[in-house]
Amino acid sequence: MKNNIKLDGTDRKILEILQRNSNITNAQLAKEIGLSPAPTLERVNKLETSGVIKSYHAVIDPAAVGLGVSTFVMASLKGHNKENISKFITAIKAVDEVVECHHITGSGDFILKIVCADIAAYQQLMLDKVSNIEVVDSLQSMVILSTFKDSKSLPIPG
Amino acid sequence: MKNNIKLDGTDRKILEILQRNSNITNAQLAKEIGLSPAPTLERVNKLETSGVIKSYHAVIDPAAVGLGVSTFVMASLKGHNKENISKFITAIKAVDEVVECHHITGSGDFILKIVCADIAAYQQLMLDKVSNIEVVDSLQSMVILSTFKDSKSLPIPG
DNA sequence: TTTTTGGCCAAATTTTATTTGGAAAACGAA
DNA sequence: TTCGTTTTCCAAATAAAATTTGGCCAAAAA
């Protein structure tokens, strides 16, 4: 649903809270925004069906499940035409370890975020599943040494 | 809690499902993993208190709330010493529009992800809040043209 | 001014989470 | 193997939460 929904201050409060913690009960949410549960729920439902809220997710600790290496990779393609881009995207979508893929301005064409177990697994992955893609020209990896901020909250404009 | 928790196949199924959709009911989750609700809930609670599941979040559509510009920014600092890094991080953490900040290997020192309303707001933000930071040497922006993959699911190793 | 609309609340109802007690399987030690 | 211990599970009862309902009130439209 792509209604041009109008958000008021209460809606923005709801969005801020649910971005920070979506496991809050409706009753608690209602208290925090200063409404009773019924209209609170109605607003949340409207935000969901209108597409403002897209989805809800658990965030897991990568280290706790054996994922020790995260990287950003800048990828350039051999040609910048639609067909090559399409081939690249199709190939990338099939790789679970590639958790993000953005088309960007600047020297590279794409930036990827990749998560895997360790450096050995990373090397194997790049060789087998990324360098491999025929339309890929060059790749430049940046390994994440540590993450200082990873906010799940977008800054909703006033 | 940082117990060295052992995950079995059922735990991994739970994590996969909750990463994809954390709004599922416990009863439905139980059905999908092939257990009854009681042990399912017990497992989820254990995953939460052991720190494997860190948090739960709603994801909102940036465009729907008036956020039209997302970028990655590579930032180099004037010196790579602890004090400068610390100053940079403190400054960056105070900027809501900077949703991610990672220390990386390679030419730049940090990569940031920034989200804001439009190019004008982005320029203003960079001038006022980022270029400004005294320890910042150089900045290179990459504007996201489109996003083809933004998975909220980490690939949990078998 | 009257009507309509939208947003709200309190309370009833339905659904879901959570607890409980105990059965079966898995495991370890003797 | 055998006995005790621990772990994991289930069904059913209970508690908590979501959701629906009906109606009130205020703001906007006619």
Side-chain angles (χ1 to χ4, degrees):
Chain A
M1 323 271 160
K2 204 50 180 289
N3 282 356
N4 51 337
I5 204 160
K6 283 169 204 159
L7 303 178
D8 63 12
T10 302
D11 291 322
R12 279 189 288 271
K13 271 193 212 167
I14 291 174
L15 292 174
E16 275 164 27
I17 293 167
L18 292 183
Q19 282 189 105
R20 182 165 50 243
N21 172 23
S22 64
N23 251 17
I24 189 175
T25 65
N26 185 61
Q28 182 60 27
L29 179 61
K31 190 182 294 181
E32 294 192 18
I33 66 173
L35 285 182
S36 73
T40 301
L41 187 66
E42 196 182 355
R43 279 168 179 267
V44 172
N45 285 335
K46 206 167 291 180
L47 290 167
E48 288 171 3
T49 61
S50 69
V52 176
I53 296 176
K54 290 200 295 185
S55 49
Y56 297 90
H57 307 271
V59 169
I60 69 179
D61 178 2
V65 297
L67 292 167
V69 173
S70 296
T71 67
F72 284 101
V73 176
M74 310 269 301
S76 296
L77 303 196
K78 280 173 181 157
H80 298 195
N81 53 76
K82 265 192 184 175
E83 197 187 323
N84 277 7
I85 291 179
S86 173
K87 277 184 189 172
F88 177 71
I89 291 166
T90 302
I92 282 301
K93 278 190 180 164
V95 182
D96 285 347
E97 288 86 353
V98 178
V99 295
E100 293 181 35
C101 172
H102 311 273
H103 194 185
I104 56 172
T105 62
S107 56
D109 292 313
F110 289 88
I111 189 166
L112 313 179
K113 187 174 185 187
I114 298 185
V115 179
C116 61
D118 52 37
I119 288 287
Y122 180 67
Q123 182 183 17
Q124 205 59 44
L125 176 79
M126 290 299 279
L127 289 173
D128 293 354
K129 303 277 180 62
V130 184
S131 308
N132 245 9
I133 302 171
E134 52 160 317
V135 296
V136 167
D137 185 14
S138 73
L139 295 169
Q140 184 193 348
S141 291
M142 297 168 285
V143 176
I144 296 177
L145 300 173
S146 56
T147 293
F148 293 104
K149 188 171 189 178
D150 192 5
S151 169
K152 306 303 179 189
S153 297
L154 299 184
I156 301 171
Chain B
M1 324 269 162
K2 203 51 180 289
N3 283 355
N4 50 338
I5 204 162
K6 282 169 204 159
L7 302 180
D8 64 11
T10 302
D11 290 323
R12 280 190 287 273
K13 271 192 213 167
I14 291 175
L15 292 174
E16 275 164 26
I17 292 167
L18 292 182
Q19 283 189 104
R20 183 166 50 244
N21 171 25
S22 66
N23 252 16
I24 188 175
T25 65
N26 185 61
Q28 182 61 27
L29 178 60
K31 190 182 293 180
E32 293 192 19
I33 66 173
L35 284 182
S36 74
T40 301
L41 188 66
E42 197 182 352
R43 279 168 180 267
V44 172
N45 285 335
K46 206 166 291 180
L47 290 167
E48 287 171 3
T49 61
S50 69
V52 176
I53 294 176
K54 290 202 295 184
S55 50
Y56 296 90
H57 307 271
V59 169
I60 70 178
D61 178 2
V65 296
L67 292 167
V69 172
S70 296
T71 67
F72 284 100
V73 176
M74 310 269 301
S76 295
L77 303 195
K78 279 174 182 157
H80 298 194
N81 54 76
K82 265 193 183 174
E83 198 188 322
N84 278 7
I85 290 179
S86 172
K87 277 184 188 170
F88 177 70
I89 291 166
T90 303
I92 281 301
K93 278 190 179 162
V95 183
D96 285 348
E97 287 86 353
V98 178
V99 295
E100 295 181 35
C101 172
H102 311 273
H103 195 185
I104 55 172
T105 62
S107 58
D109 292 313
F110 288 89
I111 189 165
L112 313 178
K113 188 175 185 186
I114 298 185
V115 179
C116 62
D118 51 37
I119 289 287
Y122 180 67
Q123 183 184 17
Q124 205 59 44
L125 176 80
M126 290 300 279
L127 289 173
D128 293 353
K129 303 276 180 64
V130 185
S131 309
N132 245 8
I133 303 172
E134 53 161 316
V135 298
V136 167
D137 184 15
S138 74
L139 295 169
Q140 183 192 347
S141 292
M142 296 168 286
V143 176
I144 297 178
L145 300 172
S146 55
T147 293
F148 293 104
K149 189 172 189 177
D150 192 4
S151 169
K152 307 303 179 189
S153 298
L154 299 184
I156 301 171

